[in-house]
Amino acid sequence: MADAVSPVGHTSVRVRYAETDQQGIAHHAHYFVWMELGRTALLRDLGFPYDRVEAEGLVFTVVEASCRFVGAARYDEEVEIETRVGAVRSRTAAFDTTLRVAGRPIARGSVTLAALDSRRRPGRVPTPLVAALRGAARS
Amino acid sequence: MADAVSPVGHTSVRVRYAETDQQGIAHHAHYFVWMELGRTALLRDLGFPYDRVEAEGLVFTVVEASCRFVGAARYDEEVEIETRVGAVRSRTAAFDTTLRVAGRPIARGSVTLAALDSRRRPGRVPTPLVAALRGAARS
Amino acid sequence: MADAVSPVGHTSVRVRYAETDQQGIAHHAHYFVWMELGRTALLRDLGFPYDRVEAEGLVFTVVEASCRFVGAARYDEEVEIETRVGAVRSRTAAFDTTLRVAGRPIARGSVTLAALDSRRRPGRVPTPLVAALRGAARS
Amino acid sequence: MADAVSPVGHTSVRVRYAETDQQGIAHHAHYFVWMELGRTALLRDLGFPYDRVEAEGLVFTVVEASCRFVGAARYDEEVEIETRVGAVRSRTAAFDTTLRVAGRPIARGSVTLAALDSRRRPGRVPTPLVAALRGAARS
């Protein structure tokens, strides 16, 4: 549908003191951890909590990650994490994340996960999860 | 010179136990911390230790970061960090990093820094540092 | 009052993937970060959000920290953080924290903070905060 | 021998930018990671690299950790880590660590590890390792 809003995962996190650096803002490496929290929340919302994925002998590994930082987050500020599904293939799935503080974007990132089996050899994203992710991406 | 090898910063780091995750490999967010260690070493080699940069009232903030993960690093493995200077402009400087374990690439990343003054307004990369970085990039 | 329950700060945190280590449990160093989240929540509940403390030119620095680990926390488990005020002096304040997963204690820790002025010289815990902390400890 | 110097593990680490917090010093939680680096180095020196311990189906888990912070470490400062063996029992081993910057102590900590088998049930520290640790503690 033309005007449909894509289903997205929403969660939020408060900046921890330990996440600040001597510039007085959250260190950029933590943004990748926060984006992971967004994926965790999205997968849970889709009915595929990630711990259950791993319990079935599959792991997702990050094969590509990028982020543009357009603002900063300070101690104790609440960072809103909005995650959308990007390209979904048989072996990989991409996720696009926007991070905001008080509604104002501070970063936009994209992370691609690849499925691996228990020996870290290329695996396949389970068919039901592919379907759920594509459904989320399409709508 | 056509066949010159670019001067690069070399350093290395051993994977800490705290940096592993339940997949038994270093978590991807730490790669961005390691790339920062590479930039720190390169700046020191060029004669511009970063603490002195900040002492002069300037900070560098990360405005863009990306990484392709092509391998994994395990606990206590030594990760070799090779950093090259990329595009250098009046307000930004880019750095390209290759991470290797036992000579085998595990990741290639790129990070762009922007200069900010003490109030976090856009600043300029100091001219001597621009010159040093461009010299390193050109050679 | 003999049977009064001490007012405590309550908050909780879900174990992040990045916080697990290759033993498949949260790495112990993160427990100290979680205890800090408990203090942050307690200070906010008492009306002294820590960012405002720092805005007044004072910082609290950790001078002593200890923790007994009696259980483990796994990825995505919710860790309940219960924080009580311990000994409060003119320059230091102690906090006792119990961490639980599903009601079962996984760790008990104690952290002592000291007040420092903006030059990191010994300072005094502001009198209203001493009163609030002692009130919380007594009750 | 009365005047013998205990064999100790020595290693060092430079404070990473990501380890600083908005007070401009290394956040206290990282000290526990640094103490772990000291234990890793000591075990390696004693001929029992920890990855080999785990390869034999045993893990060490931290059951108690404490630290007194008497100074601070700033970005890029080198922190010297000196680790001594404390009490060694059949199931646990304690390690005492002093952290210094430029020879000046910044923290003293103590960590007790317990041996667990692959199902995280109480195990025994391997006899040769007990002997090596006791030898190191005694001397």
Side-chain angles (χ1 to χ4, degrees), chain C residues 39-60:
Chain C
R39 296 193 298 276
T40 291
L42 176 62
L43 288 174
R44 193 188 295 126
D45 288 353
L46 291 176
F48 295 86
Y50 182 65
D51 51 352
R52 219 173 304 160
V53 172
E54 286 204 353
E56 290 176 20
L58 202 76
V59 300
F60 286 136

Side-chain angles (χ1 to χ4, degrees), chain A residues 7-123:
Chain A
V8 291
H10 279 287
T11 188
S12 70
V13 69
R14 269 184 191 276
V15 178
R16 300 172 172 188
Y17 203 84
E19 292 173 334
T20 63
D21 65 22
Q22 68 184 42
Q23 287 185 23
I25 57 171
H27 187 271
H28 68 283
H30 297 294
Y31 286 56
F32 293 93
V33 175
W34 299 342
M35 292 197 277
E36 189 169 61
L37 299 181
R39 296 193 300 276
T40 291
L42 176 62
L43 288 174
R44 192 189 294 126
D45 287 354
L46 292 175
F48 294 85
Y50 182 65
D51 51 351
R52 220 174 302 159
V53 172
E54 285 204 354
E56 291 177 17
L58 204 75
V59 299
F60 285 137
T61 199
V62 173
V63 291
E64 199 153 0
S66 63
C67 192
R68 295 195 59 232
F69 304 85
V70 296
R74 295 181 183 282
Y75 167 61
D76 213 31
E77 286 186 330
E78 188 170 5
V79 179
E80 304 142 40
I81 306 170
E82 181 188 295
T83 311
R84 289 166 186 275
V85 180
V88 181
R89 302 205 170 81
S90 61
R91 298 179 182 284
T92 62
F95 298 86
D96 299 314
T97 307
T98 303
L99 301 174
R100 292 185 180 84
V101 170
R104 174 180 44 86
I106 59 164
R108 289 193 180 85
S110 185
V111 172
T112 303
L113 304 181
L116 298 182
D117 68 15
S118 56
R119 294 182 182 182
R120 300 196 70 77
R121 292 174 307 194

